[in-house]
């Protein structure tokens, strides 16, 4: 049966196979390139495909160099191992290299089973012997080869994605802070959960650095946005803050310097950050709190909960200005200071338009049930209660530092 020439298939084999047919769904057709220098064998392949109504568009190249010009866009290459410019497995290797996403089947007159096994091991999808296949078997072999190749490609891409995700996870874990603290006078409990799906870090950040036996510095911050760029900027700010603290930069200069880092590293001028810092003087049992557009820490002491009345200050990256320091005196040796990002308080209340906000968070900590929760579990408990009130998961990143002394309440 003669093949049908058509504009969609260049150089269709004139003696066999089907060209494009307007009544056949295009997704069901295959483009096969036969690399065969024997005209009789090429004619036979075309006839075998034509007699089975195979819906295969057959192209023919008589040499490897000609195949290079026609291999683009084909689904499968049917290769003879004896060509004028390539012999045996060397020709197969060259075709595998040039065919990229196409399946490759070997068609040869050599009934050498060992050669067939080696060809498959080299990357061929199948091994067919001339004179031992009919039209049905040839069509089935070509279609199966294409499906196996697609399955292999999908599995390879999936594996690459899994490896990239695993590598990203390792990198993100490495970027999470390890509190630099040795004192046993206070305890630190942390909580971190990004809003981005499947991410380990987001734009929120926190850190703890002890520079003297009686001095511990704390920071919690939030870079606006939810993407990988914001997460990277959050890490840069945290690392920069730690470097400034360890370098002994004067207290009033730390946040202005951090703002300079933000303004030089952000990708858009609209990117800003909010920050809360606290310097604990353990010997004097006091703290110095600075806020740059960030929600105030909450003080838990004497069975009561209250926001620290520090001035709110301006966002970092909007208009440079030094945050005003607020001195907090602890009246007891049993206290906790909760520092958090706004992802914790931006959830809705009972499905309405009202947000949890700072008063709502104070109310959660005032609940009698919270007093039975160990301090180490309190941050996670708060997130759980906020999600319960919100009616679902919180959308934004959440970071928390809970610093406690004595009984913590």
């Amino acid at each position: 049966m003669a093949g049908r020439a058509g504009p969609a298939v260049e150089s269709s084999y004139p003696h066999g196979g089907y060209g494009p047919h307007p009544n056949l769904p295009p997704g069901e057709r295959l483009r096969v390139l036969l690399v065969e220098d024997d005209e009789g064998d090429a004619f036979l392949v075309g006839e075998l495909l034509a007699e089975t109504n195979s819906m295969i568009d057959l192209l023919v190249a008589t040499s490897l160099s000609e195949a290079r010009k026609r291999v683009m866009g084909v689904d499968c290459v049917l290769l003879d191992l004896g060509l004028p410019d390539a012999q045996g497995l060397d020709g197969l290797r060259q075709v595998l290299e040039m065919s990229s996403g196409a399946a490759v089947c070997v068609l040869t007159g050599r009934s050498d089973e060992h050669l067939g096994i080696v060809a498959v091991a080299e990357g061929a999808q199948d091994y067919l012997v001339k004179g031992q296949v009919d039209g049905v078997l040839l069509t089935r072999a070509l279609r199966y080869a294409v499906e196996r190749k697609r399955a292999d490609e999908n599995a390879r891409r999936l594996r690459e994605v899994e490896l990239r995700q695993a590598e990203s996870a390792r990198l993100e874990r490495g970027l999470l802070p390890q509190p630099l603290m040795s004192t046993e006078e206070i305890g630190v409990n942390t909580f971190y959960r990004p809003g981005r799906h499947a991410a380990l870090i987001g734009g929120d950040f926190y850190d703890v650095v002890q520079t003297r036996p009686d001095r511990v510095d704390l920071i919690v911050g939030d870079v606006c946005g939810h993407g990988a760029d914001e997460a990277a900027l959050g890490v840069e700010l945290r690392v920069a803050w730690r470097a400034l603290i360890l370098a002994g930069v004067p207290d009033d200069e730390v946040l202005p310097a951090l703002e300079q880092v933000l303004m030089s590293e952000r990708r858009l001028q609209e990117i800003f950050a909010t920050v809360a810092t606290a310097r604990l003087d353990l010997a004097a049992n006091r703290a110095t709190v600075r806020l740059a557009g960030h929600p105030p820490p909450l003080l838990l002491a004497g069975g009561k909960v209250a926001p620290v009345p520090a001035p709110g200050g301006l966002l970092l990256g909007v208009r440079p200005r030094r945050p005003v320091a607020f001195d907090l005196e602890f009246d007891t040796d049993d206290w906790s200071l909760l520092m958090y990002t706004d992802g914790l308080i931006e959830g809705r209340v009972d499905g309405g338009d009202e947000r949890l906000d700072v008063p709502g968070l104070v109310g959660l900590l005032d609940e009698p049930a919270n007093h039975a929760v160990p301090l180490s579990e309190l941050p996670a408990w708060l997130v759980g209660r906020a999600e319960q009130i919100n009616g679902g998961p919180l959308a934004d990143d959440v970071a928390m530092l809970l610093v406690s002394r004595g009984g913590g309440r």
Side-chain angles (χ1 to χ4, degrees), residues 119-199:
V120 172
E122 289 281 342
Q125 266 66 48
D126 208 342
Y127 180 81
L128 304 172
V129 180
K130 295 178 181 179
Q132 296 184 10
V133 292
D134 56 17
V136 173
L137 179 59
L138 179 59
T139 300
R140 184 184 301 139
L142 294 174
R143 290 194 173 274
Y144 284 5
V146 170
E147 291 305 317
R148 282 195 297 272
K149 180 65 176 180
R150 289 172 181 170
D152 290 344
E153 286 295 304
N154 289 337
R156 180 186 61 79
R157 284 193 291 267
L158 178 60
R159 179 59 178 161
E160 288 178 353
V161 169
E162 290 174 343
L163 289 174
R164 283 196 298 269
Q165 288 177 339
E167 181 179 4
S168 297
R170 287 194 298 272
L171 289 172
E172 290 187 0
R173 286 192 196 96
L175 293 174
L176 288 173
Q178 298 296 323
L180 187 61
M181 190 182 74
S182 59
T183 183
E184 296 183 357
E185 289 191 47
I186 59 172
V188 175
N189 293 291
T190 64
F191 181 94
Y192 194 95
R193 191 177 67 188
R196 289 186 299 138
H197 176 68

Side-chain angles (χ1 to χ4, degrees), residues 26 38 41 52 115 145 201 211 226 234 251 254 271 305 309 321 347 382 406 408:
D38 188 302
D41 288 342
T52 60
L115 184 60
I201 59 174
T211 53
H226 304 283
D251 299 359
V254 171
I271 298 295
V305 182
R321 182 180 175 183
L382 283 173

Side-chain angles (χ1 to χ4, degrees), residues 298 305-307 340 356-367 370:
L298 301 185
V305 182
Y340 53 93
L356 181 65
D357 217 339
V358 176
L361 183 59
V362 171
L364 292 182
L365 287 168
D366 268 335
E367 291 181 359
N370 122 69

